Structures are given as C-alpha cells and as structure tokens.
Amino acid sequence: MMKAMNTATPTSQDIEFYRSNGYLLVSGLFSPEECASLRDYFTDMVERGGDGWAEGGVHPDHEDPLKRYPRLLQPHRGDDVAMKYMVDKRICTYLTSFYDKEPLAVQTMVYFKPPGAKGQALHQDQRYLNAEPGTCMAAWLALEDIDEENGCMSIVPGSHELPMLCPGHANMDKSFTDHLVPIPNGLEPIPMVMRTGDMLFFNGSLIHGSGPNISTSRFRRIIVGHYIEGVAEKVAEYYFPVYRFDGSIVEQMDASEYGGPCGILVEKDGEQLIEMTGGLTRATSAH
Ligand SMILES: O=C(O)CCC(=O)C(=O)O
C-alpha cells in the first residue's frame, strides 16, 4: 500500500498512482484539530437526533449500534460544516489533478460505526451515482485512527478499470447493506489502515467496502464527500443538486437512468470473462 505524504499538492507520482490503481491515500491532509472538531460536531448532531440527516432516524435505545448511530446522509444540504468539507480546497486540488477538469460535488455522508456495528460489503459507487460521461469519486477522511479492528475500508486496487459488476447478496451479519460485488481472479482487497487526518481518494468504479467494528470501545468516525467528473452531464436524481467547488449550483444537469448494464463473471475455456447483462435494482438511497 502506497501512502503519499501530505504536500498539500499532489506530486506527479501521486497522480500516476491514482490513475493506475484507482486510489490514493494521503497522510495528514487534515490536522488532528480539524478532525477533532468535525468528530465532535457530528457526534453532537447525531446524539441530539441527527438534525434531519440521520438515515432512518436515531433510536437511542435500539440494540443495533447503527440504529443508535446511523450515518448522516447529505448534511451539506443544510449544514455549513458539511458543505465546507465537501468543497474543501485541498480536496478540489487533488481531485482536479487526477481528472484534469475540476469535478462537481454531489454527496456528503458521516459514518459513526460504534463498537459492534456492521460494515458495508464490497460495492462500486458508480453503480448508484451513475455519472455520465465519466465516473464518480470519493474523498474519505479518517476522523480517528482506523484499522482492521474498528472496521477500516478495504479496496481492490486496479478494479476501477472494470465495468460495473452485478452485485450478489452480502452476509447481513457483517454488512448493513445487501449488495456484494464479486472480485475477479487476480485481484485482491487490501485493508486501508489510516491515522486521524489521512485522506483516501478513490475512483467510484473501484470495488471497496468495510468490515464490522469488532472492538469493544472504539468508534470509527469518518466523513466522505462524493463527486462526479467535471465532464459529467448526468447523474442519478438522488444526488441533485450538483455543486461546484465555489458552492454554486450547476443548473445544467440531467438525471441518469437507474440500473444499467452490469457484468457477471463467467468461466470459459479455463479463463474468467465478464459477460454483460441488463440492469438490476433501482438505487433508492446513498452508497
Ligand atoms: O465508510 C464505509 O464503511 C463505507 C464508505 C463507502 O462505501 C463510500 O464512501 O463510498
């Protein structure tokens, strides 16, 4: 796993690494103080009921840790702190260097993942955002130290070159979402162990997910922004309105169709191939 140093601007090696592998991990892009402030701010928000952003509402006495601490979806639509994160200049600088044209911002999510919480099975974000042309991408910030015990992300390097693969069913004892994308032969997931303030940038076609939090006392809090390429003319309607990095709204954006073709892994003459098939389920919520 390559870990780029935080130089505030990406080097040519960083850009090359992101383009070939579909991700880049940048050390300390945000300071420990910024992370503590974001962590406290959003923890207070969910603990007072989520201010309308909590997925499914907050249920403080529920036995499922994710019902007590559900993820916050799209808080930037009414909350300045989330908006400030989504259009942060450092994120803009890195993403623009990977894609040449400044990307557009479409989503924020805050995950708490308390001790005992499930993870999210391997998936491809582009399946849900469906940006056209181009793809989507993410800027995922560790708000505390994250490793395999508290449910770090796993990514499959190089999988960003694949088409959308049709998801099967995930093990719902370990994942709170049902979709599980298969991993083609020759590719392997690797864990992303991160320190507070480290940023994981990844291409939205990259297969990624996270494991459960098996610790007894550690949360795993992160904030993530999702973006689409600057050349995109369409994105799934759930992600409207689409923002520029100066905070203005893009008026000229069409809604892409849900679903679309996806690939199935098949064996032919001892070789694994991807057979494309029709669309599947309607994407109704964030991923
Ligand atoms: O934080 C996680 O566990 C999953 C996040 C994710 O899949 C994403 O941001 O696209």
Side-chain angles (χ1 to χ4, degrees), residues 71 109 111 113 119-121 123 125 138 140 151-153 176 202 208-211 220 222 224 226 287:
R71 56 184 181 169
M109 299 195 285
Y111 285 68
K113 203 188 265 190
Q120 185 167 4
H123 61 282
D125 290 341
W140 193 98
C152 66
M153 283 276 265
F176 76 92
F202 59 92
H208 66 280
S210 69
R220 190 224 67 174
I222 67 99
V224 60
H226 285 116
H287 278 80

Side-chain angles (χ1 to χ4, degrees), residues 67-68 71 97 103 130 136 145 148 221 251 264 279 286:
K67 299 274 192 269
R68 299 197 298 273
R71 56 184 181 169
S97 76
N130 210 1
C136 57
D145 292 350
E148 280 158 296
R221 283 164 288 196
E251 303 294 347
I264 294 174

Side-chain angles (χ1 to χ4, degrees), residues 16-221:
E16 170 54 27
F17 186 90
Y18 179 89
R19 289 181 180 166
S20 334
N21 293 281
Y23 77 98
L24 181 74
L25 188 47
V26 181
S27 288
L29 192 62
F30 278 55
S31 71
E33 294 74 27
E34 286 178 293
C35 292
S37 163
L38 286 166
R39 207 167 58 219
D40 293 347
Y41 181 81
F42 287 112
T43 304
D44 286 350
M45 186 183 280
V46 77
E47 288 182 348
R48 66 172 175 260
D51 291 5
W53 310 114
E55 185 176 35
V58 178
H59 304 277
D61 299 323
H62 205 285
E63 62 181 21
D64 180 347
L66 290 182
K67 299 274 192 269
R68 299 197 298 273
Y69 286 91
R71 56 184 181 169
L72 305 178
L73 300 180
Q74 306 294 32
H76 68 277
R77 291 181 183 165
D79 179 80
D80 289 347
V81 173
M83 173 59 91
K84 190 161 168 265
Y85 174 78
M86 186 175 77
V87 298
D88 187 272
K89 194 159 175 6
R90 291 161 287 190
I91 295 176
C92 179
T93 303
Y94 271 87
L95 291 181
T96 305
S97 76
F98 303 148
Y99 291 92
D100 297 326
K101 186 164 181 197
E102 190 172 290
L104 301 167
V106 295
Q107 172 157 258
T108 49
M109 299 195 285
V110 180
Y111 285 68
F112 299 94
K113 203 188 265 190
K118 293 175 186 179
Q120 185 167 4
L122 293 172
H123 61 282
Q124 291 167 297
D125 290 341
Q126 167 68 354
R127 182 93 192 117
Y128 311 98
L129 279 81
N130 210 1
E132 289 177 44
T135 188
C136 57
M137 65 217 73
W140 193 98
L141 177 67
L143 298 179
E144 51 206 330
D145 292 350
I146 298 177
D147 51 37
E148 280 158 296
E149 189 194 49
N150 63 350
C152 66
M153 283 276 265
S154 286
I155 57 109
V156 181
S159 57
H160 64 301
E161 309 275 13
L162 297 168
M164 291 303 100
L165 294 174
C166 304
H169 293 289
N171 176 350
M172 297 295 281
D173 291 335
K174 293 197 167 160
S175 171
F176 76 92
T177 48
D178 181 34
H179 282 178
L180 172 69
V181 164
I183 304 172
N185 291 343
L187 296 181
E188 255 185 69
I190 55 168
M192 296 280 105
V193 174
M194 297 169 67
R195 303 295 304 265
T196 308
D198 291 354
M199 175 74 78
L200 177 65
F201 291 106
F202 59 92
N203 180 307
S205 301
L206 190 85
I207 301 175
H208 66 280
S210 69
N213 182 345
I214 57 169
S215 81
T216 51
S217 58
R218 299 169 61 205
F219 270 65
R220 190 224 67 174
R221 283 164 288 196

